[in-house]
Amino acid sequence: MDTDSDAGPTIKLISRVGDAFELPYKAASLSQTVKDALGVEDDENEHSDDVEIVKVDTPCLEKVVEFLKHYQKDPLNEIKTPLEGNTFEDVVKQTWYQEFVKGVDQPMLFDLVTAANFMAIQPLLDLTCLQVSCQLMGKSAEEIRVILNIPKLTPEEEAKAREDHRWIFDD
């Protein structure tokens, strides 16, 4: 771990293909996966290891690092449930976080959900899942199937699903 006199110790997160992103250790420590990889219990880490994030591709890890650096300076306000509004903007009042998730395409949003889950970054997982759920609100089952890339059921699979889960299919 390098030391930057202004930001304290730094760490490098390495993407699946080997690209490195340097950030303050304090920002990276929001990820429980990073903390576990370094084998530390507190924020006073003096390890010099880089952390390989083998399940996250470079463009996604770059966005995760952007989130972590910003979060260190301006933490995301807690997303409380029940939600305090009917739209994403009603729930997330901080402009930077609104723009962060609205500025990515659908595949990147889903990659961010997966990365946040894998890296155990709860605020990022909360933010991205909220954006996905807001995008699904008011959509038909068919529209949701397309958005989530769920394959269409064969007639046999649909018949079995209707039999096994009658309560869902109230026609």
Side-chain angles (χ1 to χ4, degrees):
M1 185 176 320
D2 300 322
T3 303
D4 180 323
S5 58
D6 294 336
T10 62
I11 188 171
K12 287 183 183 167
L13 301 183
I14 313 295
S15 74
R16 177 188 325 226
V17 297
D19 293 319
F21 297 93
E22 188 170 355
L23 70 159
Y25 172 76
K26 251 186 167 3
S29 67
L30 183 60
S31 166
Q32 187 61 47
T33 300
V34 169
K35 289 171 81 171
D36 291 348
L38 294 172
V40 294
E41 297 292 322
D42 57 45
D43 289 337
E44 300 303 320
N45 178 42
E46 294 300 327
H47 288 72
S48 61
D49 298 338
D50 296 340
V51 178
E52 292 184 20
I53 310 295
V54 296
K55 293 190 177 186
V56 182
D57 286 325
T58 297
C60 185
L61 187 57
E62 184 175 19
K63 292 295 285 182
V64 170
V65 168
E66 179 185 349
F67 176 89
L68 292 171
K69 286 178 176 180
H70 184 81
Y71 188 94
Q72 182 188 12
K73 295 178 206 156
D74 179 25
L76 174 67
N77 295 336
E78 181 184 359
I79 298 173
K80 296 177 183 161
T81 54
L83 297 177
E84 298 173 340
N86 293 324
T87 67
F88 185 80
E89 292 78 10
D90 289 341
V91 178
V92 177
K93 305 271 195 261
Q94 294 161 283
T95 305
W96 188 91
Y97 291 103
Q98 290 174 0
E99 291 173 0
F100 177 79
V101 291
K102 289 188 175 245
V104 299
D105 61 16
Q106 198 76 31
M108 176 59 81
L109 181 60
F110 290 138
D111 287 348
L112 284 168
V113 169
T114 303
N117 187 49
F118 172 72
M119 295 177 71
I121 305 171
Q122 194 62 50
L124 180 57
L125 186 60
D126 291 346
L127 181 69
T128 54
C129 285
L130 175 64
Q131 175 65 0
V132 170
S133 67
C134 287
Q135 289 178 350
L136 298 178
M137 283 194 316
K139 301 283 195 258
S140 70
E142 181 61 21
E143 289 170 314
I144 291 171
R145 186 188 67 72
V146 170
I147 291 169
L148 297 180
N149 200 24
I150 299 170
K152 199 162 179 82
L153 295 176
T154 66
E156 295 82 19
E157 291 170 327
E158 185 174 339
K160 178 154 179 35
R162 286 182 181 279
E163 179 65 29
D164 292 347
H165 307 286
R166 290 181 185 169
W167 59 274
I168 295 174
F169 299 97
D170 244 355
D171 310 322

